[in-house]
Amino acid sequence: MDQLHRHNQTEVLILSKGDSYEIESKKLTTVDYRNCQQRFLLEKHFHSHNENYTCAIEAEKLRKMPLYSMLGSPMQKPIRYGGSTRYFLYGMDIENLYGQYSILPLKYGPYLFESVTKEALDWIVENIRVKWRQTSFISTSKNERVHLSPVQHASKRALFNFNTCGESSSNYPMPWMGNVFSNAPFFNVSRCLATLITDQYVVGSGYCFSDITSEYVIVFGFPKENPFQRECSETNDSASCPLPKQSVTTQRIFLHPRYNRTNYGNDIALAKLFTPVDTSQPNVKPICLPIIDEIRSYDTSSLVMDIGDYSNNQIKLLNVDDRFIHLTDCEKRWQGLKVKFTIDESKHCVIKRRTIDEECVRVFVGASLHSLQRLESSERHFLRGFQVISPGECSIYYPVVYTNTDGYLDWILETMEQPVGLPFDLRKELIFSEK
């Protein structure tokens, strides 16, 4: 309300993280630009700032409590409203100020805040109103047929085993999932997930494999339990860890030639493993690539996604159903945050939580999106994308964004190297004889 925004009270309150890592508060008094500059000079800290910023110093003459101003620390004004004292947000520590403070942090101020302007308030209120309205009537997609053209390098079909790919089981719902670790110096820190497409190749986000000069270790064969929360060991019984995992080092990384890390453009990478994995067991199986003409196109109702279930600490498959979001609606939602990436035909969008009452699920970085289609009298999973952008919390408004791998199949097939020992060149046209 305008009358609150124009309030001229000088007493303010700063909230920040204290030495004990608890959120603490301290009373301050706002001062003018000249007074603020003098206070900085007394602290032997030269700081030139815009006069539009709010400057505050300790309200008491004696220093009582050390408190740093951190990125995001709010400046609040206590105002009598509705018969009681309420606290209203009037400013916030912003990144460029905090970056300068970090060189010489000031425990006792002065403190600089960017004021919450009337224009900023209008923007906040309008976005909340629009998002609430759109969330109440979410624009999800009904079942639609996605028609795709044949791939150009179909002759490389011999690289894939369509007799066993895409097979899933209850104990190993995602046997194509690989957990990617940096080989040095922190092997135990997982970067993301990658998807096995043959016994020697995986695909994933460019972010996951952005350093093509490094080696990565990919671990396959996770059971139904969450791979980020539980590990099997030699002391586990056969029921809890029936099949061993397989750890393989990457031999070569192929980033898409037009990959742009800043705006997630062409966010896809292909990694060749140093040695092939053993795909004879049900816990390690490649997913199918939709390069066969009869399964190139698909219905959106056939889509399933890899998720982590918070309630029982498991990984599982979830039918996308009406979580599939139109690209135009997806772009409108994300662009409301003034993000640098765009949503186009190279992406898929899926909402992971449709209502506040719906159970929250987790989508891991690099988790795959795939269609479940029938091939040779059995249900198989065909890769359609992998996660590259996700809201930090269980948002009911911002969708998860996947790289649409269908647009990159020709690049994948062209990049994959021909195995040693084949009696013919897969890059050449196949000629069939009537004999």
Side-chain angles (χ1 to χ4, degrees):
M1 292 174 282
D2 289 344
Q3 63 268 33
L4 294 174
H5 185 73
R6 293 195 299 266
H7 208 281
N8 295 322
Q9 181 174 321
T10 58
E11 179 185 334
V12 296
L13 199 72
I14 177 179
L15 269 71
S16 189
K17 186 165 62 176
D19 293 337
S20 62
Y21 296 98
E22 299 287 338
I23 299 298
E24 299 177 351
S25 64
K26 183 166 63 170
K27 287 184 180 180
L28 303 174
T29 300
T30 57
V31 295
D32 58 24
Y33 177 80
R34 185 182 298 275
N35 196 332
C36 185
Q37 288 285 44
Q38 291 175 350
R39 298 279 180 157
F40 273 118
L41 292 176
L42 287 175
E43 297 293 334
K44 298 180 180 180
H45 187 109
F46 178 77
H47 192 290
S48 178
H49 64 275
N50 191 302
E51 295 186 34
N52 292 329
Y53 293 136
T54 299
C55 182
I57 61 175
E58 287 186 315
E60 294 82 7
K61 293 183 180 180
L62 298 177
R63 295 177 172 179
K64 291 187 176 181
M65 181 182 67
L67 192 64
Y68 295 109
S69 178
M70 303 180 64
L71 173 64
S73 294
M75 182 266 286
Q76 305 166 161
K77 287 187 179 182
I79 300 175
R80 293 288 298 179
Y81 179 80
S84 62
T85 299
R86 310 288 185 90
Y87 290 88
F88 293 85
L89 179 66
Y90 274 81
M92 185 173 294
D93 192 342
I94 61 173
E95 183 173 2
N96 60 334
L97 297 180
Y98 177 72
Q100 296 182 51
Y101 277 149
S102 62
I103 301 174
L104 182 61
L106 300 176
K107 293 184 178 181
Y108 303 99
Y111 302 94
L112 281 177
F113 302 90
E114 183 176 18
S115 300
V116 179
T117 63
K118 182 65 167 58
E119 291 74 19
L121 290 174
D122 291 339
W123 176 79
I124 291 172
V125 172
E126 178 59 25
N127 274 269
I128 291 176
R129 181 185 298 115
V130 171
K131 289 170 177 53
W132 179 263
R133 182 171 61 248
Q134 291 180 345
T135 303
S136 301
F137 303 97
I138 189 169
S139 175
T140 54
S141 173
K142 297 180 181 179
N143 181 33
E144 296 180 359
R145 184 69 175 174
V146 179
H147 297 279
L148 298 172
S149 302
V151 296
Q152 298 179 6
H153 300 275
S155 59
K156 283 197 173 182
R157 174 174 172 171
L159 293 174
F160 306 92
N161 185 354
F162 285 96
N163 294 322
T164 59
C165 69
E167 293 179 340
S168 180
S169 64
S170 58
N171 288 330
Y172 302 99
M174 296 167 249
W176 46 83
M177 183 179 72
N179 203 357
V180 182
F181 296 87
S182 177
N183 203 12
F186 305 109
F187 175 76
N188 61 339
V189 178
S190 173
R191 297 177 58 86
C192 54
L193 300 178
T195 305
L196 188 70
I197 58 173
T198 72
D199 62 353
Q200 204 169 355
Y201 281 94
V202 300
V203 294
S205 71
Y207 158 79
C208 188
F209 299 101
S210 56
D211 186 359
I212 61 174
T213 62
S214 297
E215 285 186 344
Y216 300 91
V217 174
I218 308 180
V219 182
F220 299 96
F222 291 106
K224 194 173 184 180
E225 286 77 13
N226 188 333
F228 293 91
Q229 299 292 334
R230 177 178 178 181
E231 294 289 342
C232 293
S233 65
E234 294 180 357
T235 59
N236 291 125
D237 56 34
S238 58
S240 61
C241 190
L243 293 173
K245 299 186 185 71
Q246 299 183 44
S247 299
V248 186
T249 304
T250 57
Q251 182 185 44
R252 188 176 179 186
I253 307 297
F254 304 89
L255 280 177
H256 193 278
R258 293 190 300 276
Y259 168 57
N260 187 321
R261 182 170 184 172
T262 302
N263 61 13
Y264 296 91
N266 302 293
D267 194 348
I268 187 171
L270 180 70
K272 183 179 181 180
L273 306 178
F274 196 85
T275 56
V277 295
D278 180 8
T279 60
S280 62
Q281 300 295 331
N283 66 328
V284 181
K285 295 282 185 183
I287 200 169
C288 298
L289 287 187
I291 62 176
I292 305 175
D293 290 345
E294 55 265 34
I295 49 84
R296 280 288 292 139
S297 301
Y298 63 97
D299 296 323
T300 55
S301 61
S302 68
L303 290 174
V304 292
M305 55 194 295
D306 300 345
I307 66 165
D309 191 340
Y310 283 110
S311 61
N312 56 17
N313 199 36
Q314 290 187 337
I315 59 173
K316 62 181 183 180
L317 302 177
L318 179 67
N319 292 329
V320 172
D321 293 328
D322 61 347
R323 292 179 176 83
F324 197 76
I325 305 294
H326 288 288
L327 292 176
T328 52
D329 189 22
C330 181
E331 182 179 20
K332 184 187 300 181
R333 294 175 181 229
W334 277 108
Q335 292 305 318
L337 290 180
K338 310 299 181 184
V339 294
K340 295 182 180 180
F341 58 84
T342 57
I343 308 296
D344 54 25
E345 296 297 330
S346 67
K347 302 288 191 297
H348 286 306
C349 295
V350 177
I351 196 79
K352 59 181 180 180
R353 192 183 186 196
R354 294 164 293 187
T355 65
I356 295 177
D357 298 327
E358 190 171 41
E359 181 183 0
C360 181
V361 297
R362 181 181 181 184
V363 182
F364 301 117
V365 177
S368 59
L369 178 73
H370 32 100
S371 59
L372 184 59
Q373 298 171 262
R374 182 166 292 276
L375 177 66
E376 297 178 355
S377 71
S378 64
E379 295 289 331
R380 305 288 187 84
H381 294 267
F382 294 87
L383 182 65
R384 300 295 176 174
F386 51 81
Q387 188 260 80
V388 290
I389 303 169
S390 181
E393 301 296 333
C394 290
S395 175
I396 61 174
Y397 182 78
Y398 295 104
V400 177
V401 180
Y402 294 81
T403 289
N404 182 354
T405 51
D406 282 308
Y408 297 98
L409 288 184
D410 282 315
W411 174 78
I412 292 173
L413 296 175
E414 184 179 10
T415 306
M416 291 177 66
E417 298 173 345
Q418 180 173 322
V420 178
L422 285 182
F424 54 89
D425 191 342
L426 291 173
R427 293 169 296 183
K428 294 183 179 180
E429 182 178 356
L430 297 180
I431 301 176
F432 297 91
S433 172
E434 295 180 357
K435 297 182 180 180

